[in-house]
Amino acid sequence: MSTIRTMLSRLGIMPRLMIGFLAISLLPCVVLLFMTTRLSTESLQKSLRDQLQAVSAAKSLELNNFIRERQGNLAILSQIASTQTAVQQLIRARDDGDAETVEDVNRRARPGLVLFGETYGYDDVYLFDPAGRLLFRLKSDLDLGENLLAGPLRDSELAEVFRRCIILLQGEVSDFQEYPGLDEPALFMAQPVLKDGVLIGVVALRVGNSEVYRGFRDYNGLGETGEAVAGMLKGREITYVSPLRHDPDDSIDRRVQEGEARASAMQRAVRGDHGYGRMIDYRGVPAVCAWSYLPAFRWGLNVKQDEAEAFALINRQRWAVASLLGVTSLLVAAVAWSMARSI
């Protein structure tokens, strides 16, 4: 402090007056600009957080409603008399080796099941007996073999959802998985077919990906770089299962190992965590993200936006404040110089 006083005492009257004018004039301006910038920055950051969390909540609700509607459709299909009758007749005919009856039952059941699949957006409909024997299918693009639990797909997600269904006697949803013969990963739903409380079969549906992906391709409220993405956990590996806005050609590796620096928000989401913060996304790009968990799908959900776009308004505001402070300093210095010279 004494050093500053010594330096000031050596200055002439004009420099000291200028310094005094600058201090008196600029200090309140600097304090006011600092407080204004801080409050507006916090407001913009809160607005961004609220926006991403609102989009995340909307996507979660949309996907949960989607799966509940499909489970309701499947439950109805399993309970109607025509489905139960078809399962019972197909089991008896196959047990008796009666190929003619099998063909006749298939022919009569097909129109109704085709209409059901087309109406509600299912790619295929399957009927099984409780042991996993395939009784009916609409398409032959997936090689199930004679028995799902003993055929080429015995270790698949479809087989796993079948097992859970007959053990728990309730509707179940599989994880996404790639299957030989299909162009895209598939998701299956299974529902027990009960007759007088006794399990007589299982009906399964292959859900059309276009229906699931529709919400992920809606970028309203997410700007030019924002997107909603979903991932599922298998072991210690996370796989992105939704369309990626920044990778329409599937050229980016969709798999992330737990513990990697990138996709930290997805690593938390697939473990059931909910939150908001800054992260490195699957491309290695800094982003802000709201993350949550979708129990119906067992997916993690990220709604994110690149930091460069998310904070663009805040950065422009900081530059405007800095410019204003610079111009104000020059004006005050000019006025102080003029007044000091006139004294």
Side-chain angles (χ1 to χ4, degrees):
M1 189 73 177
S2 61
T3 303
I4 296 175
R5 287 177 180 173
T6 303
M7 292 176 62
L8 289 174
S9 65
R10 294 176 181 176
L11 296 174
I13 184 64
M14 188 177 298
R16 278 188 284 176
L17 285 173
M18 284 190 62
I19 293 173
F21 279 128
L22 287 172
I24 294 172
S25 303
L26 288 181
L27 186 58
C29 292
V30 170
V31 173
L32 181 60
L33 287 173
F34 173 78
M35 293 179 62
T36 303
T37 301
R38 181 176 178 179
L39 291 174
S40 59
T41 298
E42 290 177 352
S43 177
L44 289 171
Q45 290 176 337
K46 182 179 183 300
S47 177
L48 173 63
R49 181 177 68 250
D50 291 346
Q51 173 70 12
L52 292 180
Q53 289 179 334
V55 173
S56 177
K59 299 289 186 187
S60 297
L61 180 62
E62 180 181 354
L63 288 166
N64 286 329
N65 287 342
F66 171 85
I67 207 68
R68 281 198 295 268
E69 289 173 3
R70 270 57 189 176
Q71 287 174 326
N73 295 340
L74 186 54
I76 292 173
L77 180 62
S78 70
Q79 294 168 9
I80 60 177
S82 59
T83 302
Q84 297 175 353
T85 300
V87 168
Q88 291 176 312
Q89 291 177 345
L90 287 169
I91 290 175
R92 283 197 297 267
R94 289 185 180 275
D95 288 343
D96 297 339
D98 187 349
E100 184 177 342
T101 300
V102 169
E103 184 177 349
D104 180 61
V105 175
N106 279 335
R107 179 179 53 79
R108 286 185 284 110
R110 180 171 292 275
L113 294 176
V114 167
L115 179 62
F116 178 86
E118 291 178 347
T119 301
Y120 296 106
Y122 299 109
D123 286 344
D124 210 342
V125 181
Y126 308 88
L127 298 177
F128 299 95
D129 72 6
R133 181 172 54 174
L134 179 62
L135 303 175
F136 175 89
R137 62 190 303 176
L138 291 179
K139 302 177 182 178
S140 58
D141 51 355
L142 195 59
D143 182 13
L144 302 177
E146 291 293 323
N147 189 296
L148 175 61
L149 303 181
L153 298 184
R154 59 185 176 275
D155 297 322
S156 67
E157 288 295 329
L158 173 56
E160 178 60 26
V161 77
F162 176 91
R163 294 186 185 97
R164 293 202 306 269
C165 175
I166 60 175
I167 291 173
L168 301 175
L169 293 181
Q170 66 181 26
E172 291 290 323
V173 182
S174 79
D175 287 336
F176 264 91
Q177 185 180 20
E178 294 183 347
Y179 291 86
L182 301 183
D183 295 331
E184 295 181 323
L187 178 146
F188 291 88
M189 301 175 64
Q191 180 79 24
V193 180
L194 304 174
K195 179 74 170 180
D196 298 326
V198 178
L199 178 67
I200 62 172
V202 170
V203 57
L205 303 173
R206 191 170 88 218
V207 181
N209 285 357
S210 60
E211 297 293 322
V212 180
Y213 290 164
R214 182 180 302 165
F216 291 102
R217 293 192 171 105
D218 180 4
Y219 305 121
N220 286 330
L222 295 174
E224 297 297 323
T225 63
E227 62 180 331
V229 294
M232 67 178 187
L233 179 66
K234 279 293 183 181
R236 295 187 58 81
E237 183 177 82
I238 298 169
T239 303
Y240 283 87
V241 296
S242 63
L244 303 179
R245 184 177 191 176
H246 303 289
D247 184 32
D249 301 323
D250 293 335
S251 58
I252 297 176
D253 187 0
R254 289 173 170 257
R255 294 166 296 178
V256 176
Q257 300 297 323
E258 281 195 299
E260 284 190 39
R262 66 190 181 106
S264 57
M266 184 60 77
Q267 295 180 48
R268 300 179 68 174
V270 295
R271 290 295 185 181
D273 192 15
H274 294 68
Y276 171 85
R278 302 169 75 168
M279 47 84 83
I280 303 298
D281 74 359
Y282 60 87
R283 300 168 294 155
V285 175
V288 287
C289 177
W291 60 87
S292 58
Y293 183 67
L294 300 173
F297 289 89
R298 297 179 294 280
W299 288 353
L301 176 67
N302 283 185
V303 177
K304 63 183 189 65
Q305 190 176 41
D306 289 0
E307 276 191 9
E309 180 182 13
F311 296 148
L313 185 58
I314 294 174
N315 292 333
R316 287 198 298 269
Q317 175 188 269
R318 288 173 177 169
W319 275 108
V321 168
S323 300
L324 178 61
L325 183 59
V327 171
T328 303
S329 299
L330 292 174
L331 291 174
V332 170
V335 172
W337 174 265
S338 176
M339 293 182 67
R341 291 193 61 182
S342 67
I343 296 176

